[in-house]
Amino acid sequence: QGHLVESGGGLVQAGGSLRLTCAASGSIFSNTMGWFRHAPGKQRELVASITSGGNTNYADSVKGRFTISRDNGKKTVYLQMNSLKPEDTAVYYCNAVGPTGSGYYYWGQGTQVTVSS
C-alpha cells in the first residue's frame, strides 16, 4: 500500500508561476511518473511525464511552459509551471503512468491550481 501527496497549488494571476510537489510513499515510485490535471467539465489529462532515467514528455498545451523533474532518492516529483494561463486552472494530481498513459495507482487528493485573468 502506498500514497501520493500533492502540494504547492494556489491562486495566481495569468503569467505567474507555481511549483508543485508530489511525495510518494510505500512501494509507489517506479519507471515513469507523471502529472495529470482535471479541469471542471473535462476529462483527466496527462500533462507531463518523466522516466526514471530523466526522459520527459509534455502535452502540447503546456510544452515550453511546464517542466517536470524528479528526485529518486527522495521519491519526489516536481512540476514547475511558468507563464500560467486561465485554461491551466484544474486540480493537479501525480501518479505512475501506466502503459496506456493512464494513472497506475490510487489517486491522491490533488492540489488546486487557479489562474485568474
Side-chain angles (χ1 to χ4, degrees):
Q1 188 174 7
H3 295 87
L4 296 161
V5 180
E6 300 93 344
S7 62
L11 193 156
V12 297
Q13 291 188 327
S17 298
L18 286 172
R19 182 176 173 85
L20 307 185
T21 298
C22 170
S25 65
S27 61
I28 297 174
F29 209 79
S30 193
N31 296 330
T32 303
M33 297 294 294
W35 283 95
F36 301 75
R37 67 186 181 189
H38 192 186
K42 295 185 177 181
Q43 295 272 74
R44 200 192 314 271
E45 172 191 24
L46 175 65
V47 298
S49 64
I50 183 168
T51 68
S52 59
N55 296 117
T56 59
N57 193 37
Y58 300 92
D60 288 340
S61 59
V62 307
K63 196 171 298 181
R65 300 187 297 118
F66 291 9
T67 303
I68 188 172
S69 60
R70 65 192 289 166
D71 186 327
N72 292 330
K74 296 180 179 178
K75 300 181 69 173
T76 303
V77 187
Y78 306 93
L79 186 68
Q80 178 66 47
M81 304 186 296
N82 299 325
S83 302
L84 283 163
K85 304 175 180 179
E87 49 262 46
D88 295 319
T89 295
V91 179
Y92 284 71
Y93 303 85
C94 67
N95 211 328
V97 181
T100 62
S102 59
Y104 189 78
Y105 296 105
Y106 293 116
W107 298 103
Q109 295 300 306
T111 185
Q112 176 72 51
V113 171
T114 303
V115 185
S116 65
S117 59

